[in-house]
Amino acid sequence: MSQRILLIQDDAAAAKAILNALSNSRDELFQVEWVRCCSDGLERLTGSSAILVDLSLPDSRGIETFDRLFNVARQIPILILCTPPR
């Protein structure tokens, strides 16, 4: 059985790197759904095992992003992604 991961990440290069890493996992099978903004993520929470989220999105920034997700998905683990500066 696979784990359904919701990836909320605006940066395409970072998202592809995460998708690649998860698809190459030997320990677990992951089904990843990638969206680029918080509002799309909020619409797709159902059935998620975990949420991976960048806190700098087009429609939400910082702790507000976490708060929006946590308020509607308290039972789902939320992992915050930090992308290194370019």
Side-chain angles (χ1 to χ4, degrees):
M1 185 170 160
S2 66
Q3 298 292 318
R4 185 172 177 272
I5 306 295
L6 177 60
L7 172 60
I8 308 172
Q9 171 62 263
D10 183 44
D11 183 318
K16 288 176 185 175
I18 293 164
L19 289 165
N20 187 43
L22 290 173
S23 68
N24 289 324
S25 171
R26 295 171 201 250
D27 298 325
E28 187 81 39
L29 292 175
F30 296 101
Q31 175 189 359
V32 182
E33 181 174 4
W34 171 34
V35 296
R36 292 177 175 253
C37 60
C38 189
S39 57
D40 287 344
L42 289 167
E43 293 176 5
R44 293 175 173 83
L45 289 171
T46 304
S48 294
S49 303
I51 301 165
L52 303 178
V53 62
D54 182 0
L55 295 183
S56 296
L57 299 168
D59 64 342
S60 187
R61 291 232 178 261
I63 196 67
E64 173 193 341
T65 305
F66 175 83
D67 288 342
R68 289 175 67 188
L69 293 166
F70 184 73
N71 285 333
V72 297
R74 293 178 188 266
Q75 74 286 0
I76 303 172
I78 301 171
L79 288 82
I80 297 172
L81 302 170
C82 297
T83 14
R86 297 176 195 200

